[in-house]
Amino acid sequence: MTGIHVLAAPTRMLLSGNEAVARAVWESGVRVASGYPGTPATEMLENLTKYPDLYTEWSVNEKVALEVAIGTSMAGSRSFCAMKHVGLNVASDALMTLTLTGAAGGMVIAVADDVGLSSSQNEQDSRFWGRFAHLPILEPSDSQEAYEMTIAGYALSEQFQVPVILRLTTRICHVKAMVMIGERVPHESSGYIKNPQRWVMTPGFAKSRIMLMFEREEKLRASAEISPLNFVVAGKDCSVGFIASGPAWMHVQEAFPNSPALKLGFSYPTPIERIRAFSKTVEKLLVVEELEPLLENEIRAAGINCHGKDFLPRSGELPPEVLKPAVARLLGEVSKQLVAERTVLPAQVFPRPPTLCAACPHLSIYYTVAKLKNITVAGDIGCYTLGSGHPWNALDVVICMGASMGMALGLDKGRTEVDKDRKILAVIGDSTFMHMGMQGLLDITYNRGNVTVLLLDNRTVGMTGGQDNPGTGRNARGNPAPKVDFVKLCEALGVKPERIRKVDPYQLPELAKALREETKIAEPSVIITDRPCVLIDDFKRQPAFKVASDQCTGCGLCIDVGCPAISEQRREMLKRPSGKEVMLQFAAIETAACTGCGICVQVCAPKAIVAAAVQTINFVKN
Amino acid sequence: MKNMITNILVVGVGGQGVMTATEVLAEAAISLGHDVKKTEVAGMSQRGGVVSSHLRFGLKVLSPKIAPGDADIIVGFESAEALRWSHYLRVGGLVLMNTARLVPPVVSGGLYAYPTDPQAEIRDLGIEVHAFDAMVIAKQLGDMRLGNSVMLGAIADHLPFRAEVLLESILQRFQTRKPEMVELNRRAFTAGREAIARLVQVEALTPNFA
C-alpha cells in the first residue's frame, strides 16, 4: 500500500478496486478527499492518505464528508468523497440538494454497496440514488475499470457540471486485479465564483434549478447512449443476450462466453435506445443486475421484453453458479449436466462467527452486562455489535450508526407498567458516538430520559481496521490533532457532571459498581471506558496467564468472559447434595494468544489463573 | 490460444495469514506474466471468522470468484476449514491441509461439535488429500508466524510453475519488509515442501490408500 505513488507510469500492478480508485483520484489532480470508514469502502481514503499533494480527512460522518467535498467543488477544485452504502443515507440530505447546485470543480462520490452483507446491517442498492437525485452512475466491473471510470468521472463531472456517483460493491473494492496506472495530471482550479442563484438554495433559487436538473439528465442520457463505457461483446449463441453491470458483468462473461452481451458501465441515465437496439439482436434478453431490478423495470417500461428477477435472486451476488441454472430455467432446459456437476454438497461444519479479540476492552463490558437482570440494551454499529453473539447475548436491539441513543430513549418513554423497573442501557463506541450519537444523547438529556449510556472509548474505529477520529488525537495522516474530551463533551450535552463516570474496563468491580449505581438513578448517565483497542499501537501487551489445572474447580466463569484465548478443556456433571445437577467446565488459556489483560483473573473464584512464566522481564523491571 | 485458468482456494481463520499467503501466490503468478484476480470478503473475518481467499490466474481472468467444483487446489490453513470448503474442489483436484485445529468459542462452549476427523471426511469424498501439521514445523523453527511460509512450501510442487518462483516471491517480500526474516522463511518454505514430498512418497507406497 505504501509507496504506490512512487511508481512511474506505465506500470502494471496488482491493486484492489479501492486502491485503484485512490490512485485514479490522485492522478486526477483532486485537491480534497473526505470520507468516513465503513466496509467495504474504507481503503479508498486510507490509501489516499499515503499520497502527497492532496488534502485528505476522516470526517465525523458521511454527511459532513460530502459537505466538505461540496465546498471544495464550489471553490472550483476537484473533490472526492468515499463511503459505504449506508453512509450515503446519512449524506443524502446534502446529496438531494447538491443535485440542484451541481458541481463546479469535478466531483466523484464513491459509494460501496455490501452485496452479500459481509459486514453491514443491510443490503441496499445505491443505484437508487442516481434515480432519486438525477445523478449519473458509473459502475466498474474490476480494478482496471474502477481506475478508468474514476478518471472518466472527473471529465464527465466537469463537462456536465454534475457530481458523479461511482457505484462499487464488495466484489470490486476487495478484489485485487492487474491495473495499468498513469501519471498525475494537475487540475487547474477555476477558483470560487460568487453566484448566489446557483449556490444559495432558497426556494426561489432552487425552483429555477429544477428545470436545469431535468435538462441535464436528458443530456446525460444522450451521453450514455454513445458512451464507450457502454459496449456490446458479440457472441454466436443468440438464444439469450445479457445486459449486465458491475461485478455481474464479469460473471456473465465467465459463464456465457459465446453469448452476446451489452455491458453498462455508464448505467444511469439508462441508455434505453442502445438497449433497444441490442434487444433486437437476441431471442431472449436477460438483465443481470445485483440487488434491485432497476434497469429491468426501466427496460420493461420502455416496451422492451426482458427477463431478470423472474429468474435471478434479488439478494446477494450473481456468480456463474447462480447464473447457469437460472439461464437453463429461462431456456426451459432441465440441465442434466448442471445436476451432475452439483453432486458434492457443502460439508456440515460448525459456524465460526467473528469474535472479540483477546484482551478486548469490550469483553468485560459484556461479561458484566450479561449478568445484569431486568435490563434492555440498545446496541450500536462497531466491534461491540459482536456483544449480541455467544457467550454474552447482551444486545437487544441494533439498527444503524448512533441509533442506540434514540432507541434507548424510545424504550424508556414507550414502556408500560410491566416494564417500569426495567433498566435501559445504550452501548456506543467513541467514533460512532461522534458520528451520530451526540445528537441522540442531547435528545436524552433534553427530554429527561432514564437511560444509562456506556460510551466505549477504545480510541479508534476498530471494526474497519483502526482509523483515527476526533477522539484519538491524530488526523487521517496520523499527525497530531486536537483530541476531544468525552467527559466535557457529555457535560456540554447536558449530562450532570456527577452522572458522568470514567472507568477502567479492566477493573471489573469498579465497572460493575458504576453500572449498578447509575442504572438505579432515574436520570441520564454516562459511563465512559478508556482502554485502547488491542489492535492499535496504544495497546501495550502484558505478561500472559495460564490456568493452574489442579486448582480449576470448573465454575466456568472465565469462559463466560468470551475471550478467544480461553477454552473449555472438559466438562463434568456434578450432583450436588441437594440432588441438583450442575455442569462443570474446566478451562485452559492459550498462553501464546493471551495478552495479560487480567479480566479472567478477576472472575476466577479459586484463584486458579496465574502468571504463565514465573521469571519474566517484568520481574526485573519491578 | 486456449485460456487455461488456474484456480487456487486458500482457506482458514481470520488472523492466520490466509490473505497474505494468497497475495504471495498472486505475486509469483504475476512475475510470470499471468493475468491475476484475487478476492476474499474481508471485514468481520478479521475477528476470528472464516476466511476464504480465491486466486485465479491465466491469460485473461474474468470473474474473480472460483465457483464450487472448480478449484484445482484447496490450501487449508486449518483442519475444519479445509473440510468446510471441500465442495469447491474440482474432480481430480487436490487438498493440501494443515492438521492443526483452531477451536472457536461456540465449539469449546459446547454449542457445536468439531468434526472428529476432517481429513478422513474429505478423503471419503474421493479427494486426494495431503495433510500435515504446519504449526509443529513452525514451532520447531521457533516462530508460529512461519506457518504461512510452511504452507506455501507445501503447495510449491503442485503449481503450474516451478517452486523456485514462489520461493522468490516470498523472499522478495521479506527482503523489503523484514530482511532479518528472509533466512527463516526460506527454511520454513523448504520444510513445508519436504513435508509434503515425504507424504506423497509414503502415500504412493500404500496400495490400499483411500
Side-chain angles (χ1 to χ4, degrees):
Chain A
M1 180 157 79
T2 48
I4 290 173
H5 68 272
V6 184
L7 291 157
T11 303
R12 200 161 169 263
M13 58 189 310
L14 187 70
L15 296 181
S16 70
N18 283 340
E19 288 169 334
V21 169
R23 172 78 198 192
V25 166
W26 179 70
E27 283 183 19
S28 300
V30 166
R31 188 173 291 267
V32 169
S34 56
Y36 185 83
T39 307
T42 312
E43 298 84 1
M44 281 183 270
L45 205 80
E46 201 167 58
N47 271 277
L48 275 167
T49 64
K50 316 283 184 209
Y51 285 90
D53 310 321
L54 86 161
Y55 168 82
T56 51
E57 74 161 50
W58 286 127
S59 310
V60 294
N61 64 37
E62 294 86 354
K63 180 172 181 286
V64 175
L66 182 57
E67 288 152 357
V68 169
I70 293 171
T72 297
S73 175
M74 286 169 169
S77 302
R78 286 189 168 179
S79 65
F80 174 75
C81 189
M83 59 196 71
K84 70 183 293 179
H85 59 328
V86 286
L88 195 48
N89 300 343
V90 176
S92 63
D93 195 6
L95 185 82
M96 293 304 292
T97 302
L98 164 66
T99 186
L100 295 181
T101 67
M107 186 173 182
V108 171
I109 303 163
V111 55
D113 285 4
D114 193 7
V115 176
L117 294 95
S118 72
S119 188
S120 301
Q121 66 270 35
N122 77 16
E123 194 192 36
Q124 65 187 56
D125 192 331
S126 292
R127 296 176 306 155
F128 269 113
W129 290 114
R131 276 101 181 148
F132 198 5
H134 308 283
L135 296 176
I137 295 182
L138 303 183
E139 286 187 75
S141 298
D142 65 7
S143 297
Q144 180 69 46
E145 287 191 5
Y147 166 84
E148 287 166 6
M149 286 188 190
T150 304
I151 291 172
Y154 283 101
L156 189 70
S157 172
E158 281 164 10
Q159 184 188 348
F160 292 95
Q161 294 280 288
V162 67
V164 171
I165 296 177
L166 183 73
R167 192 253 191 163
L168 309 161
T169 73
T170 305
R171 203 58 83 180
I172 301 298
C173 294
H174 287 170
V175 172
K176 287 203 170 186
M178 301 309 291
V179 180
M180 187 71 87
I181 58 170
E183 299 281 12
R184 178 171 161 95
V185 182
H187 171 255
E188 200 76 31
S189 174
S190 59
Y192 170 70
I193 299 162
K194 192 174 170 79
N195 184 357
Q197 283 85 351
R198 179 168 178 195
W199 301 129
V200 182
M201 286 298 93
T202 54
F205 290 154
K207 201 169 184 178
S208 64
R209 302 287 309 174
I210 290 175
M211 282 322 291
L212 294 175
M213 174 183 74
F214 288 130
E215 283 168 23
R216 180 189 70 203
E217 192 171 32
E218 284 320 302
K219 285 178 192 159
L220 282 163
R221 191 181 305 281
S223 176
E225 291 283 5
I226 55 165
S227 169
L229 300 177
N230 301 327
F231 57 85
V232 172
V233 170
K236 281 181 220 137
D237 179 6
C238 292
S239 56
V240 190
F242 296 90
I243 293 178
S245 66
W249 168 255
M250 290 297 172
H251 299 320
V252 165
Q253 292 283 288
E254 178 83 33
F256 305 100
N258 300 319
S259 302
L262 170 60
K263 146 96 175 175
L264 296 182
F266 185 169
S267 68
Y268 189 82
T270 315
I272 210 75
E273 293 315 314
R274 193 104 175 231
I275 291 167
R276 195 186 305 279
F278 176 73
S279 72
K280 289 174 181 160
T281 67
V282 295
E283 286 166 39
K284 283 182 174 165
L285 187 62
L286 183 66
V287 183
V288 183
E289 53 189 328
E290 285 177 343
L291 306 186
E292 304 281 354
L294 296 180
L295 288 167
E296 182 187 337
N297 289 346
E298 285 158 16
I299 292 167
R300 283 226 178 91
I304 304 165
N305 268 331
C306 70
H307 294 281
K309 298 301 176 186
D310 43 350
F311 288 91
L312 295 168
R314 279 181 76 152
S315 172
E317 294 184 277
L318 302 172
E321 65 266 29
V322 173
L323 292 177
K324 283 181 186 171
V327 170
R329 281 201 310 280
L330 171 65
L331 292 173
E333 296 169 2
V334 182
S335 173
K336 282 173 192 158
Q337 193 200 340
L338 281 167
V339 173
E341 275 176 14
R342 216 50 66 222
T343 45
V344 181
L345 294 168
Q348 292 298 308
V349 180
F350 57 84
R352 201 186 277 279
T355 58
L356 293 172
C357 303
C360 172
H362 305 332
L363 286 170
S364 56
I365 303 292
Y366 287 127
Y367 175 85
T368 310
V369 169
K371 301 234 179 280
L372 294 175
K373 299 273 184 300
N374 201 19
I375 185 169
T376 304
V377 185
D380 225 300
I381 307 288
C383 281
Y384 46 90
T385 316
L386 297 174
S388 64
H390 178 81
W392 319 283
N393 304 311
L395 298 182
D396 292 284
V397 291
V398 174
I399 289 276
C400 66
M401 293 283 287
S404 60
M405 300 287 136
M407 290 191 301
L409 181 60
L411 283 162
D412 171 38
K413 299 293 183 190
R415 69 172 96 201
T416 56
E417 192 58 24
V418 210
D419 291 321
K420 68 176 176 24
D421 296 324
R422 192 165 270 276
K423 301 170 182 80
I424 311 287
L425 215 62
V427 182
I428 190 165
D430 49 340
S431 194
T432 306
F433 181 68
M434 290 180 288
H435 177 284
M436 246 342 151
M438 297 190 295
Q439 297 88 337
L441 180 56
L442 184 59
D443 203 58
I444 290 171
T445 56
Y446 172 52
N447 293 302
R448 300 184 194 280
N450 179 11
V451 173
T452 298
V453 175
L454 266 166
L455 174 47
L456 311 181
D457 176 16
N458 65 353
R459 300 180 222 163
T460 190
V461 190
M463 188 52 113
T464 47
Q467 289 72 31
D468 283 299
N469 65 47
T472 67
R474 289 178 298 264
N475 65 17
R477 288 183 186 266
N479 296 324
K483 186 174 175 173
V484 79
D485 182 329
F486 284 109
V487 173
K488 281 190 188 156
L489 181 56
C490 292
E491 212 179 306
L493 288 169
V495 185
K496 288 181 186 165
E498 63 271 25
R499 293 275 71 78
I500 303 170
R501 297 203 202 188
K502 215 167 167 173
V503 302
D504 178 353
Y506 286 172
Q507 298 303 319
L508 275 177
E510 192 191 334
L511 177 67
K513 184 166 175 275
L515 262 171
R516 227 174 20 245
E517 290 175 0
E518 293 305 336
T519 50
K520 258 185 210 153
I521 299 164
E523 40 183 66
S525 56
V526 181
I527 300 169
I528 304 169
T529 65
D530 62 352
R531 284 277 177 178
C533 168
V534 300
L535 298 178
I536 63 172
D537 293 341
D538 298 12
F539 176 73
K540 299 286 173 263
R541 205 183 165 109
Q542 300 298 317
F545 292 101
K546 66 174 181 185
V547 176
S549 48
D550 54 331
Q551 287 174 53
C552 176
T553 55
C555 71
L557 283 173
C558 62
I559 290 167
D560 293 348
V561 172
C563 173
I566 303 173
S567 63
E568 182 188 300
Q569 286 309 95
R570 63 189 165 88
R571 53 177 59 186
E572 279 173 22
M573 291 305 285
L574 177 77
K575 202 162 189 175
R576 288 248 168 87
S578 63
K580 195 183 160 195
E581 284 203 338
V582 287
M583 189 173 63
L584 300 180
Q585 295 170 282
F586 295 88
I589 293 174
E590 172 61 43
T591 301
C594 174
T595 54
C597 69
I599 297 172
C600 60
V601 178
Q602 297 172 60
V603 304
C604 179
K607 304 281 172 226
I609 298 175
V610 296
V614 183
Q615 198 69 38
T616 65
I617 297 166
N618 262 45
F619 270 93
V620 182
K621 270 189 189 161
N622 292 342
Chain B
M1 200 152 115
K2 197 163 158 45
N3 187 16
M4 292 288 293
I5 301 290
T6 302
N7 295 320
I8 302 176
L9 187 66
V10 187
V11 302
V13 177
Q16 276 194 303
V18 167
M19 283 155 72
T20 313
T22 317
E23 186 127 344
V24 174
L25 278 164
E27 280 162 11
I30 291 164
S31 75
L32 294 169
H34 289 292
D35 185 30
V36 169
K37 280 186 181 165
K38 168 185 171 283
T39 182
E40 58 266 318
V41 173
M44 289 206 176
S45 56
Q46 286 161 7
R47 307 281 174 271
V50 174
V51 183
S52 70
S53 189
H54 302 230
L55 176 67
R56 310 190 72 210
F57 58 87
L59 199 60
K60 173 78 188 153
V61 183
L62 297 165
S63 170
K65 219 177 145 279
I66 300 171
D70 276 353
D72 297 297
I73 306 174
I74 290 178
V75 187
F77 273 49
E78 199 272 349
S79 251
E81 293 311 314
L83 175 62
R84 187 193 304 280
W85 298 96
S86 53
H87 64 292
Y88 267 70
L89 201 69
R90 69 167 164 80
V91 176
L94 173 70
V95 171
L96 289 164
M97 62 184 276
N98 182 3
T99 52
R101 296 176 172 210
L102 291 177
V103 178
V106 291
V107 170
S108 70
L111 296 181
Y112 295 90
Y114 196 97
T116 324
D117 189 350
Q119 190 185 333
E121 270 188 61
I122 302 172
R123 273 211 181 100
D124 288 347
L125 298 168
I127 293 170
E128 188 183 352
V129 185
H130 299 320
F132 73 111
D133 194 330
M135 293 306 118
V136 165
I137 297 177
K139 234 177 216 168
Q140 281 166 358
L141 289 167
D143 194 334
M144 294 299 278
R145 284 170 300 176
L146 292 168
N148 214 313
S149 291
V150 175
M151 289 304 290
L152 286 171
I155 187 184
D157 285 312
H158 298 275
L159 295 169
F161 49 77
R162 290 184 310 121
E164 286 70 25
V165 179
L166 182 57
L167 177 61
E168 195 48 42
S169 284
I170 299 172
L171 300 186
Q172 242 175 36
R173 203 181 171 85
F174 280 99
Q175 198 66 54
T176 47
R177 293 166 201 221
K178 283 180 189 163
E180 71 279 7
M181 292 296 284
V182 168
E183 263 325 295
L184 262 179
N185 277 282
R186 183 198 297 277
R187 283 171 58 194
F189 180 87
T190 309
R193 201 176 164 190
E194 284 168 356
I196 286 295
R198 271 197 303 276
L199 272 176
V200 173
Q201 228 171 14
V202 171
E203 285 161 11
L205 293 172
T206 315
N208 290 329
F209 179 77

